[in-house]
Amino acid sequence: MLAKAVPRPCSGAGRHGAPAARLWSVGVAGGPRRGGAGGRLVAADAGERMAGSEAVPVVAVAAGKQPVNGSAMAGIDKLVTSTVGKSTNVLWHDCPIGQFERQELLNQKGCVVWITGLSGSGKSTLACALSRELHSRGHLTYILDGDNLRHGLNRDLCFEAKDRAENIRRVGEVAKLFADAGLICIASLISPYRSERSACRKLLHNSTFIEVFLNVPLEVCEARDPKGLYKLARAGKIKAPSDCEIVIQCKAGDCATPKSMADQVVSYLEANEFLQE
């Protein structure tokens, strides 16, 4: 039967005033009556049964159901877990508030604007200009800048081929979460290899991954070059993207302003109904 919730002080302390590292249990609520199939999971305080000083999670058996793979949920006869990569026995949990509801709340459509180009092509500058323009129009964005992420999320990665691939994979997964949250995520990375960009594209619905190629001549980038990263490009090992949604062309002595480049991306977002007025 379901564990009965025990009233507790608002301070979060237990019945004897101890800090609330409480045991919790899981039941299923299906509306006014307990145990309804297809109901939602609810957590209830199950008292003070402790194992040493640690809280012990307990799963309550509802409506006579027996534990399946260590769990018991009313209306679920078989709990299917998965192996994902190196993670075993994992279960995907859905929430009643999804991307559609979040997008309605924000009045915009979640997507990823993936800006690629050579070092010195102006990716970070464009990302900031685009974020500023969208913000001024009342839209919520977040920038994932390649160098910035290496200060935290990707600080354990170096610049060898394997780590570069992992760097792009992580950014793609994080960008996917921001898009699912309903934000316009702006990713700004060199990301020179098509296979890695394609893998990120496949994480999202195709129309919500918008690739922007800053097509700036090599000599212009070299003139700006803050890092000296052009040996691979000069050797012809880095190819220009061929399947991007937006190409921003820049020629020697004739490069658009950051505001003008941002406007090109905004026009695409408007034309494809990512921005709702």
Side-chain angles (χ1 to χ4, degrees):
M1 62 185 293
L2 290 172
K4 184 177 179 181
V6 178
R8 59 182 184 274
C10 294
S11 63
R15 277 189 290 177
H16 300 295
R22 298 187 310 279
L23 171 69
W24 54 268
S25 64
V26 175
V28 177
R33 304 183 68 83
R34 297 180 298 177
R40 65 187 185 279
L41 289 178
V42 295
D45 194 329
E48 294 179 333
R49 293 167 49 204
M50 307 290 286
S53 60
E54 300 295 326
V56 182
V58 174
V59 178
V61 179
K65 294 289 181 182
Q66 296 300 316
V68 181
N69 294 341
S71 297
M73 300 181 187
I76 300 179
D77 294 319
K78 186 176 182 180
L79 192 61
V80 180
T81 60
S82 304
T83 297
V84 182
K86 295 181 181 179
S87 299
T88 60
N89 199 34
V90 294
L91 177 68
W92 182 271
H93 288 274
D94 281 318
C95 177
I97 302 300
Q99 185 185 47
F100 177 80
E101 289 77 16
R102 292 187 285 269
Q103 289 180 156
E104 285 210 321
L105 182 67
L106 295 171
N107 201 33
Q108 63 186 40
K109 187 176 175 183
C111 64
V112 174
V113 178
W114 191 280
I115 305 173
T116 183
L118 295 172
S119 177
S121 60
K123 298 181 300 299
S124 296
T125 301
L126 172 57
C128 290
L130 177 58
S131 180
R132 186 184 306 115
E133 179 63 25
L134 291 170
H135 181 81
S136 70
R137 298 180 180 216
H139 296 289
L140 187 59
T141 67
Y142 196 85
I143 296 175
L144 297 177
D145 182 87
D147 278 7
N148 289 356
L149 290 171
R150 283 184 177 272
H151 284 76
L153 177 68
N154 294 335
R155 66 187 303 171
D156 59 320
L157 302 177
C158 67
F159 289 94
E160 294 178 357
K162 183 179 179 181
D163 278 9
R164 283 180 178 274
E166 173 61 12
N167 178 62
I168 300 300
R169 188 197 70 81
R170 290 185 191 179
V171 177
E173 290 286 357
V174 174
K176 173 186 173 182
L177 295 177
F178 274 114
D180 185 60
L183 276 70
I184 298 170
C185 179
I186 306 168
S188 169
L189 303 95
I190 294 177
S191 50
Y193 299 113
R194 183 183 305 170
S195 60
E196 295 169 0
R197 296 194 305 273
S198 295
C200 293
R201 180 185 290 273
K202 290 176 181 177
L203 293 173
L204 295 101
H205 298 298
N206 193 50
S207 62
T208 60
F209 185 94
I210 303 154
E211 189 172 324
V212 180
F213 173 41
L214 273 176
N215 190 9
V216 179
L218 188 55
E219 58 270 21
V220 174
C221 294
E222 283 183 310
R224 301 173 177 173
D225 185 18
K227 299 179 181 179
L229 301 176
Y230 284 97
K231 289 183 180 179
L232 285 176
R234 280 295 185 194
K237 295 182 180 180
I238 299 177
K239 305 297 183 182
S242 60
D243 56 355
C244 47
E245 282 69 28
I246 304 170
V247 176
I248 298 177
Q249 192 74 43
C250 179
K251 299 179 181 179
D254 183 23
C255 287
T257 66
K259 175 67 165 59
S260 177
M261 292 189 291
D263 286 343
Q264 291 183 54
V265 182
V266 171
S267 294
Y268 179 93
L269 295 175
E270 288 179 328
N272 290 275
E273 300 182 346
F274 287 99
L275 309 180
Q276 302 169 23
E277 300 300 333

